[in-house]
Amino acid sequence: MTDDTLDQLNHLIAINKDAEAGFLTAAENIQNSELETLFAGYSKQHAKFAAGLQDEIQRLGGSYS
């Protein structure tokens, strides 16, 4: 496993964590319950993506930075 691969996976984790936070903020600040539910779901989805990528990094012997 190369350091470049781990760097790329860490970058993808950061992107997903940013998306998670952005969708959560949108869900908390919108006045439409349907969109609130939709955005909250997207936030949870991105959290799962980030967790999966973190698991893969650990499997490969790296660490999340």
Side-chain angles (χ1 to χ4, degrees), residues 15-41:
I15 290 170
N16 277 284
K17 287 187 173 282
D18 286 346
E20 174 189 2
F23 281 118
L24 184 58
T25 298
E28 293 171 345
N29 292 297
I30 194 133
Q31 301 300 315
N32 179 311
S33 63
E34 288 180 34
L35 288 176
E36 180 182 352
T37 301
L38 181 68
F39 292 156

Side-chain angles (χ1 to χ4, degrees), residues 8 15 21 33 35 53-54 58:
Q8 291 297 322
I15 290 170
S33 63
L35 288 176
L53 290 166
Q54 287 173 321
Q58 280 188 324

